[in-house]
Amino acid sequence: MCGIVGYVGPRDATPIILNGLKRLEYRGYDSAGVAVVQNGGIELRRDAGKLSNLADLVSQQPISGAPGIGHTRWATHGAPSARNAHPHLGTTGRVVVVHNGIVENYLELKDELAAEGIPFNSDTDTETIVHLVERHQASGLDFTSAAHATFEQVQGASVILLISADEPDKIICARLGNAGGVVIGLGNGENFLASDIPAILEHTRRVIFLESRQMAIVTRDGIQIQTLEGSPVKPEIHSIAFDPVAAEKGEFRHFMQKEIHEQVRALTDTLAGRVDFSAGKIRLPELNLTPEIACRLQKIYITACGTAAYAGMVGKYLIEKIARLPVEVVIGSEFRYSDPIVDENTVVLAISQSGETADTLAAMEEGRKKGALVWSIVNAIGSQAMRIADGAISMQTGPEIGVASTKAFTAPLVDLYMLAILLADLRGTLDEQARRALVADLRLIPHLVGRTLAREPQVVKVARALKDIRDCLYLGRGINMPIAYEGALKLKEISYVHAEGYPAGEMKHGPIALIDEHMPVICIAIQDPWHEKMISQIQQARARNGRVITLATDGDELVEGMSEHVLWVPEAPWLLSPVVTVIPLQLLAYHIATLRGLDVDQPRNLAKSVTVE
Ligand code: AGP
């Protein structure tokens, strides 16, 4: 949610910032801006809409200089417009700010500043920050002390970057709470700041992650970090391994398409080094799970948002079935308000692609506060959810850029399956033969996903038939019920088609009234323990003239005879079947959206990392 980039060094900051913002555009794309110190003053360009508008503006009205800061916005306070786009200048025109997060006490601060006659030029909460800095400077503080005093006043989770034309050798940065991360990239005689690693990877792989309630003074030759309380911090320098090419679209039209097709590789990497097929064992060393811990556990809460929460629902099924340990799934935004029953024998397991989702992080904090063991399954390297957990499973998917999550859905499904086997093994709830059989099934997964992806043409055909629909129902049962939710979410977010996922057996209790000859009903009716039940549900939809589209296992003529269209999938072990059944639904949403001419990677109103409550 909002992307921030900063550069301090001898080069012109403008192209570095624009390139960096391009890699962060998934975080927000309703307006963008850049500011640099040029000829002793601050020059700034801002525009509404996507980053390409800002790039056009900068090429018509070039600016050049350093240091510089830039921003791509996902609006919270104030409509998406050039006026509300960051950076925001103060009244002196000599201090400028970019910000990710929310200044929760901005109304109070704004009233106070306005009463002193300070004019506001935007409707944002962010602008208060720069006016506060200037007010402290006016009272005699230098730039760093003024920034520090401001950080103490601002409430809520925020990442803030500031530059001043009067001290053009530095960028001051603060991280207040969990409003998305900030990473400092170490160069030679130059340094970088960004919300996320891909923005600076072309320049450096040596990074420092700023922690909550820390501020950094970043100059071209040094980085000084301290807590807001004033204690100096010796930062840990991390070396980032991933390849910048992994964050490029390559031959694909969209990141989402590329990421869907990367799932064979992502799942192969997910298994690598974690599955010992000859011993029939799972190894997840980063989880720090001992037999003692596994045996004393009484409950797991899985907490996550959106797609990650649907992965968690499949996880509940897997852990309860395989490890016989009770699991409750609570979405991140509800967890801390539900007064969860948590003690030291409980695990709070967060699932998150970004590792920055504010609601998920808040749930982790709640778990920690109540004494639970906190685990996470996270994709983004170095993210907060990975760092604050007692144990973590890192998704091996590489960066996911498309706003619609795809490979970061299937990877945790396999992680959760492995976790279930490991827990069962350590708790002694699985005999050796059963364990070996479950482990052996994992070997099939990359191949099954590859075979399903190869059937993209059948999905395109169905997408053409459905491209003008207004509504759509997705039905599933048992372990594939969350796949109905996920299929519907994918369609909603990128095609803007109203879609609902429903437990198929629940239809008769109300939603069946929606079905008529215009309603497509996508039924996940593969060969699994619910196959017969799903056939009854298909019949009920047909009896109301619904347009039945089924996801069926190869060769299922019975289901084929009942369907307007069939999306065929290869036979898969049923506990792993969600990894396969979700693939045609990801592709269907993708192709319907492209046929409707929509911007698949940057759907309206959304952002990839939701770092505000
Ligand atoms: C997925 O397609 C969505 N864009 C969204 O639901 C996402 O899964 C959710 O915001 C959680 O994000 P996270 O995995 O980064 O925590």
Side-chain angles (χ1 to χ4, degrees), residues 305-308 352-354 357 403-405 489-490 493 610:
C305 304
T307 287
S352 177
Q353 186 290 128
S354 62
T357 301
V403 164
S405 192
L489 176 61
K490 287 285 94 83
E493 66 180 337
V610 184

Side-chain angles (χ1 to χ4, degrees), residues 2-49:
C2 298
I4 288 178
V5 183
Y7 171 77
V8 53
R11 294 191 274 163
D12 175 12
T14 320
I16 296 170
I17 288 172
L18 289 177
N19 266 338
L21 289 178
K22 206 163 126 204
R23 307 200 187 285
L24 295 183
E25 210 181 0
Y26 65 88
R27 300 171 71 95
Y29 34 82
D30 60 42
S31 54
V34 55
V36 297
V37 175
Q38 178 180 308
N39 302 328
I42 286 172
E43 276 297 328
L44 171 142
R45 299 287 180 267
R46 303 183 297 181
D47 209 348

